[in-house]
Amino acid sequence: MRESHTRALASLDDDANVTDLLVRRAAEAPDHVAFEVPPPAGAGTDAWSPITTAAFLAEVRSLAKGLIAVGLAPGDAVAIMAPTRYEWAVADLATWFAGGVVVPVYESSSASQVAAIVSDARVRVGIGGGPTHIALLTDALASVDDTIGVWGMDDLPALSARGAGVSDDELEHRRTRAGHDDPATIVYTSGTTGEPKGAVLTHANFLGQVRNIAAAYREVVHPEGNTIIFLPLAHVLARGLQLICIASGMRIAHLADPAAVVPTLATLRPTFLVVVPRVLQKIQAAAGEKAAAKGLSGVWARARATAVAAGRLAERKDAGLPRRIPLGHRVRHAVFDALFYRRLRAVMGGRVDYMLSGGASLDAELSLFFRGLGVPVIEGYGLTETTAPLTGNLPGRIASGTVGLPLPGSTVRISEEGEVLAKGVGVFAGYRDPRHDAEAFVDGFFRTGDLGRLDDAGRLVLEGRVKDVIVTSNGKTIVPVRWEAAVEADPLVQHAVMVGEGKPYLSALLILDAEQAAAWAASAGLPFDAGTPAGLRAVDEPRLHAHLQRTVDAANALVSRSEQVRRFELVVADLDDRELVTPTLKIKRTVVVDRAAETIASLYRGAPS
C-alpha cells in the first residue's frame, strides 16, 4: 500500500477563525473549570486555583484590548518567549483576539536565535516570561524598525489596563477580521538537519486539526477529563493540544519543569498525559530499580513479561482476532497487579486513562508493557508543518510499533524512495521564505523528510530520516533508526548515534544519561564524573562499557549483519546546549559528528576492515 486516507469528521464552516473555539465554549459552559493554576511561590499550599472558561475569556479579552491600545495592528506579529504557564495561554489567545499573529520562541533559545526570529517575522510586540526572556526580546526588537515594546508576563495586568478605552465593538471587529486562510502563527522549526524555517500555519490549519482530532478522540478528550501540559508551549503540539482541550472542555494545568510532573500527579490526578518515550522508559526503569533494591529483580522480570503479554492480548482484541487468556496468565496478572501494576498507576495519579507518546519512536514492547498495566499509550506522528499530529493510533485500535492511521482529513503517501508525504487539513501552505518551499512539496504533498511504509491496514510505520541514512564504503545504505531506538531503550543511554559514512563498518556513540549513569556507577562502587562538558567528552570506564555491550549486542541481533555496529564509545554531553540538541530534545546528528570527530576517528584506528 502506497497511500492511506481518512475522511474528515468535522466541518469548519461554523468557525471563522481560532478565536471562535473559545467564544463558543464560553457560551456553552461559562462556569466550567477550564484551567487550574498553581499557588504562588512561598504560599505554603498545594491547592491549585480553578479558572472558569468565562474568567479565562475575560482575561483574554482584556489583554487583547491592551494590545490594541498600545498600537498592535491587524496582522502584526507578537513574539511569546516564556516557560509553559497559564499566562502563555492568555497571551496566545489575546493576540488572536486582537488580530495579531503569534510567533512562539523557545525559552532556551540563544540571543542570536531570538534576534533571527524577531527580524524574520518582523515582530512588533514581545511578551517574556521573566527577566532573561524580557532582556533577550528587548535586545532583539531594538534592531527592528517600528516596534511597540516588550512586556513581562507578570506585567500583563498593567498592559490589560491600558485597553480600558477600547470598546467591545472594536475588539469584536478585530477578533472576527481574520479568516481561514490568514496566518495564525509562524513557528520556526528546530532545525535538526538545517537552518530553522518559519512555517506559516493558518487559522484553517488549527481549526481543521482541533475539530477533527476532538471528534476522533472523544473518549480521550472530554469535559470530565483533565491533563497537565508540561511540553514547551512554543511547540505546536502543546498549543494544538491546548486548543483541543479548550474547545472540548478538558481541564488544563501547566507545569514549566518536567521534573515537577510526577510529584504533582497525585494532586491533579490527570486522565490524560502527553509524554515523550523517554519519560515512559524512566517510569519503567525506576520501578525495576525499586524492585532490585528489595531483591525482587526476578519477580519484576516476570511481571514485565506478563504485562507485555497482556498488552499483546489486548491488541489482538482491538484487531478483532481470536484470543484465549490462559488461567495461569490471569492469575499471574492479578498477583503482579497487586505487587507492581497498581502502584505504577498510582504514581501516575491513579486516573490516567490514556497517554499520548510523540517526539520520538516508541519501542513496541514498552508500549505493550503500559497497555498491560492498564494505561494504553497512543502513539502518534506529526511535524510543525502538519500543525502537530498527522497520524495516530485510536482508542480501541492501537497497534504497537506503528504511529497509526492518517488522522481525519489527512492523507499519507509513500514515495518511490520511501519518503512519507502528507496532505490534509493540518498541512501548511508554505514557509515564510518562499525559497524554502522549492524542495518542500511534490505533487501537492508536503515532503516530511521521514522514511516509512504503510502496513496492510494503512497504518504508518516510521523507518528513519531521509538525511540520516549512512552509506558505507562497500556501498551499503543503512537506516540507523531501528538500531538506535533499541539502544536508547536502555535507561543509561540518552541518545545513540550510529556513524560510518564512507567507512568499512558501522560504529556508534552512546551519549549517556548522566543521572542514570552516575547512579549505576555509584551502585557498582565506581567513580563517575557527571559534570556536563562544553562539547562531548569520552567516558573511559571498562565496566560500564562492558555493561552496555549487552545492550549493543541485543540491538545488533535485531538487524542484518550489514546494519550491525562493531565498535562504540561512551560519551557525555551538555544536553541543554541548543546547538547540539533541539528544543524538542532531538539530537543534531551533524553537530555530534563534528564535535566528536576525534572520538569517531579512534573507532576506526587499528581495527580490521
Side-chain angles (χ1 to χ4, degrees):
M1 181 180 291
R2 304 206 67 85
E3 186 170 302
S4 182
H5 169 75
T6 303
R7 66 176 183 84
L9 296 178
S11 168
L12 310 188
D13 294 342
D14 293 337
D15 298 309
N17 61 49
V18 175
T19 66
D20 284 337
L21 297 171
L22 174 56
V23 171
R24 181 170 289 105
R25 178 61 191 168
E28 293 170 349
D31 298 326
H32 187 83
V33 175
F35 294 92
E36 291 177 299
V37 297
T45 175
D46 293 331
W48 287 55
S49 302
I51 296 178
T52 66
T53 309
F56 175 63
L57 175 59
E59 285 191 63
V60 166
R61 287 169 54 86
S62 180
L63 181 56
K65 287 183 177 182
L67 290 170
I68 294 170
V70 297
L72 188 77
D76 281 350
V78 176
I80 304 176
M81 183 182 188
T84 296
R85 55 189 283 188
Y86 168 72
E87 290 79 8
W88 218 116
V90 175
D92 199 13
L93 270 293
T95 300
W96 285 327
F97 268 64
V101 177
V102 178
V103 180
V105 182
Y106 282 99
E107 62 156 330
S108 56
S109 298
S110 66
S112 61
Q113 290 170 325
V114 177
I117 290 171
V118 164
S119 175
D120 186 70
R122 299 189 181 94
V123 170
R124 296 198 69 209
V125 171
I127 297 176
T132 300
H133 310 119
I134 294 169
L136 286 168
L137 289 170
T138 300
D139 290 345
L141 263 71
S143 62
V144 179
D145 294 333
D146 194 28
T147 59
I148 295 172
V150 178
W151 282 265
M153 285 190 170
D154 292 335
D155 301 321
L156 293 185
L159 177 56
S160 297
R162 297 180 66 170
V166 177
S167 70
D168 290 345
D169 287 344
E170 183 177 356
L171 175 62
E172 186 65 4
H173 173 72
R174 283 290 193 90
R175 183 188 76 79
T176 57
R177 191 177 186 276
H180 284 184
D181 296 331
D182 288 311
T185 191
I186 304 170
V187 182
Y188 286 81
T189 60
S190 51
T192 52
T193 56
E195 63 173 309
K197 305 169 187 175
V200 181
L201 305 178
T202 65
H203 285 272
N205 289 143
F206 275 116
L207 289 170
Q209 290 287 64
V210 170
R211 289 300 185 198
N212 280 284
I213 292 173
Y217 290 89
R218 294 186 195 281
E219 187 177 329
V220 179
V221 185
H222 51 78
E224 290 74 40
N226 66 303
T227 190
I228 301 172
I229 295 179
F230 55 92
L231 297 175
L233 278 168
H235 194 296
V236 71
L237 174 60
R239 289 171 72 207
L241 170 63
Q242 182 162 264
L243 286 172
I244 292 168
C245 291
I246 289 171
S248 303
M250 190 162 188
R251 194 165 74 252
I252 301 169
H254 296 98
L255 280 176
D257 181 8
V261 174
V262 172
T264 309
L265 293 175
T267 301
L268 296 178
R269 304 189 68 221
T271 60
F272 172 63
L273 284 174
V274 176
V275 297
V276 294
R278 192 68 181 166
V279 171
L280 301 179
Q281 290 168 359
K282 288 192 172 186
I283 290 173
Q284 186 188 66
E289 290 166 5
K290 287 184 179 179
K294 296 177 181 178
L296 297 175
S297 291
V299 179
W300 169 247
R302 291 192 293 275
R304 278 184 58 172
T306 299
V308 170
R312 286 201 178 94
L313 288 169
E315 289 201 358
R316 286 185 63 84
K317 180 182 178 182
D318 285 355
L321 298 173
R323 60 176 189 142
R324 185 180 66 84
I325 306 178
L327 176 61
H329 170 82
R330 292 201 296 270
V331 171
R332 285 193 301 274
H333 194 278
V335 171
F336 292 140
D337 188 75
L339 285 175
F340 299 112
Y341 308 158
R342 190 178 304 161
R343 298 183 185 192
L344 278 172
R345 293 195 299 272
V347 166
M348 292 180 277
R351 281 206 326 151
V352 175
D353 296 320
Y354 293 96
M355 288 190 286
L356 171 66
S357 175
S361 295
L362 175 65
D363 178 70
E365 188 166 296
L366 187 63
S367 174
L368 291 168
F369 170 79
F370 277 91
R371 182 72 185 271
L373 294 184
V375 185
V377 180
I378 299 170
E379 189 174 9
Y381 160 75
L383 302 92
T384 296
E385 293 89 344
T386 63
T387 320
L390 171 67
T391 70
N393 281 285
L394 296 169
R397 283 186 283 169
I398 295 174
S400 297
T402 82
V403 290
L405 293 163
L407 292 172
S410 300
T411 300
V412 169
R413 176 185 290 179
I414 306 299
S415 74
E416 292 297 329
E417 297 74 28
E419 183 175 8
V420 179
L421 309 177
K423 180 189 286 186
V425 295
V427 178
F428 79 143
Y431 296 104
R432 179 168 172 78
D433 186 341
R435 293 177 303 168
H436 293 145
D437 294 340
E439 297 182 355
F441 295 90
V442 58
D443 298 332
F445 281 77
F446 171 63
R447 298 181 58 190
T448 66
D450 288 307
L451 296 170
R453 61 181 172 83
L454 296 170
D455 69 10
D456 292 341
R459 293 178 294 243
L460 178 62
V461 180
L462 295 175
E463 298 184 324
R465 292 283 297 169
V466 171
K467 293 185 178 181
D468 284 351
V469 297
I470 297 169
V471 181
T472 60
S473 61
N474 55 19
K476 291 285 187 181
T477 299
I478 308 298
V479 179
V481 66
R482 188 181 184 197
W483 186 92
E484 290 174 345
V487 174
E488 288 171 356
D490 190 305
L492 292 174
V493 181
Q494 187 77 36
H495 299 283
V497 180
M498 183 187 286
V499 296
E501 182 71 27
K503 302 294 184 181
Y505 57 86
L506 298 171
S507 297
L509 299 175
L510 306 191
I511 302 175
L512 298 172
D513 182 311
E515 181 182 337
Q516 294 286 335
W520 182 90
S523 68
L526 299 172
F528 181 81
D529 180 4
T532 54
L536 286 93
R537 185 183 74 241
V539 175
D540 184 16
E541 175 42 65
R543 286 173 60 182
L544 182 55
H545 193 283
H547 177 78
L548 285 171
Q549 181 69 58
R550 295 193 289 271
T551 297
V552 170
D553 291 344
N556 280 343
L558 298 174
V559 297
S560 68
R561 184 175 178 79
S562 64
E563 297 172 295
Q564 293 175 358
V565 163
R566 291 198 197 178
R567 306 180 78 179
F568 67 94
E569 284 284 0
L570 310 180
V571 298
V572 291
D574 179 5
L575 297 179
D576 291 324
D577 180 353
R578 287 298 168 248
E579 292 184 2
L580 179 67
V581 181
T582 74
T584 53
L585 305 183
K586 297 183 181 70
I587 199 77
K588 296 184 180 180
R589 182 181 299 271
T590 55
V591 177
V592 171
V593 171
D594 179 62
R595 291 189 183 181
E598 179 58 31
T599 301
I600 292 171
S602 71
L603 291 167
Y604 293 93
R605 290 194 193 111
S609 59

